[in-house]
């Protein structure tokens, strides 16, 4: 069975450039999450969707960040313009359950470096 | 609001020794509790979870955790660790009534010495 698929695995870009990270959740899962992991701040929840609808985006750092889920099998996280402090590993995770008892299935992450 | 505190950022132990990784949570309502493991350059994967019922929960790779409501703790234990257990371990909490919002602790890095 295919797990959560993220692309790209690695991205190196220059400050000011637009970055788009992509995620394909596990088929049949109705919740999708974007997390950011850094040494300083640990694992932070950025936004999560349920049935393609954003439920809580309070973790999105600022207006430079945006996320979409146009259908049940695809989500994007966009940073425009990117800054060096955005360098981190970004994880996408999906879950089969709406309520908090659901297990999260993580992708392998997208490592972003902004120079 | 809920929060999770992992008291140790790093835990070094010798191979075949027992280990306990500590986790405390704060919540005014009932919660679900989880432990996840992250191996180098990988995403997190579920070790075990407590939803209700027996307070002793067994997970994969020989790990177990005990929910203690009075102490608001959910410590992770393994009686004998192996080199392959070297990883970062995250405690997490979610609330019954919340739509899947799971909050992670800061992580504990477990390093196993031969």
């Amino acid at each position: 069975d295919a797990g959560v698929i993220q692309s790209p695995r690695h991205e190196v870009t220059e400050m000011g450039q637009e970055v788009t990270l992509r995620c394909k959740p596990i088929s049949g899962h109705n919740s999708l999450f974007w997390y950011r992991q850094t040494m300083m701040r640990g694992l932070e929840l950025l936004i999560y969707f349920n049935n393609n609808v954003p439920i809580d985006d309070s973790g999105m750092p600022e207006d430079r960040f945006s996320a979409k889920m146009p259908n049940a099998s695809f989500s994007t996280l966009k940073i425009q313009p990117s800054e060096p402090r955005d360098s981190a590993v970004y994880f996408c995770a999906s879950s089969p359950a709406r309520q908090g008892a659901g297990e999260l299935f993580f992708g392998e992450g997208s490592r972003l470096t902004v120079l | 609001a809920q929060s999770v505190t992992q008291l140790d950022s790093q835990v070094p132990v010798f191979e075949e020794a027992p280990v306990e990784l500590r986790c405390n949570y704060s919540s005014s309502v009932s919660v679900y509790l989880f432990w996840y493991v992250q191996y180098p350059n990988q995403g997190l994967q579920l070790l075990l979870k407590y939803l209700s019922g027996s307070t002793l929960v067994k997970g994969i790779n020989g790990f177990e955790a005990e929910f203690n409501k009075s102490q608001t703790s959910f410590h992770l234990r393994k009686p004998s660790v192996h080199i392959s257990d070297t990883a970062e371990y995250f405690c997490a909490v979610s609330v019954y009534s919340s739509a899947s919002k799971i909050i992670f602790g800061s992580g504990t890095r477990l390093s196993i010495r031969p």
Side-chain angles (χ1 to χ4, degrees):
Chain A
D1 291 340
V4 174
I5 299 172
Q6 291 187 246
S7 64
R9 289 294 313 278
H10 302 274
E11 173 99 5
V12 180
T13 190
E14 293 190 345
M15 182 173 64
Q17 297 299 304
E18 177 179 296
V19 174
T20 299
L21 307 178
R22 298 173 178 80
C23 175
K24 177 179 168 55
I26 293 172
S27 178
H29 286 192
N30 57 10
S31 294
L32 182 139
F33 306 77
W34 282 101
Y35 284 89
R36 176 172 70 174
Q37 186 176 39
T38 61
M39 289 292 292
M40 293 296 295
R41 301 175 69 90
L43 200 60
E44 303 172 275
L45 176 63
L46 300 178
I47 184 171
Y48 75 92
F49 296 82
N50 184 258
N51 291 328
N52 313 336
V53 176
I55 302 299
D56 185 344
D57 65 356
S58 59
M60 295 287 262
E62 48 197 275
D63 291 347
R64 298 184 297 106
F65 286 68
S66 61
K68 294 183 179 179
M69 192 166 185
N71 57 62
S73 59
F74 185 66
S75 177
T76 60
L77 178 67
K78 187 175 293 187
I79 308 172
Q80 166 64 20
S82 59
E83 296 182 4
R85 61 192 168 122
D86 301 330
S87 297
V89 180
Y90 291 81
F91 287 103
C92 176
S94 68
S95 175
R98 184 176 189 275
Q99 294 304 315
E103 174 182 352
L104 292 181
F105 293 79
F106 282 79
E108 294 190 316
S110 294
R111 182 176 295 277
L112 173 65
T113 302
V114 183
L115 303 175
Chain B
Q2 298 73 45
S3 66
V4 180
T5 301
Q6 291 185 245
L7 299 167
D8 306 298
S9 59
Q10 294 187 62
V11 173
V13 295
F14 287 103
E15 194 172 16
E16 299 183 8
V19 69
E20 179 178 82
L21 306 184
R22 296 180 292 169
C23 172
N24 286 87
Y25 69 93
S26 173
S27 176
S28 57
V29 297
S30 296
V31 297
Y32 299 126
L33 294 159
F34 308 81
W35 276 98
Y36 282 80
V37 59
Q38 184 179 29
Y39 298 105
N41 300 314
Q42 294 186 25
L44 282 72
Q45 57 184 276
L46 183 70
L47 264 182
L48 49 80
K49 63 182 177 182
Y50 172 78
L51 305 182
S52 65
S54 173
T55 57
L56 183 63
V57 181
K58 293 189 183 300
I60 61 172
N61 301 338
F63 283 92
E64 63 180 32
E66 186 155 20
F67 170 58
N68 187 322
K69 189 173 182 180
S70 62
Q71 301 289 326
T72 61
S73 68
F74 190 56
H75 300 333
L76 181 71
R77 293 190 285 261
K78 186 170 182 178
S80 175
V81 297
H82 301 285
I83 292 286
S84 59
D85 293 324
T86 298
E88 187 145 18
Y89 292 80
F90 293 88
C91 184
V93 62
S94 68
V95 174
Y96 284 175
S97 59
S98 173
S100 303
K101 187 168 184 176
I102 300 177
I103 304 299
F104 286 85
S106 55
T108 297
R109 187 171 300 277
L110 178 63
S111 59
I112 313 297
R113 301 169 176 174

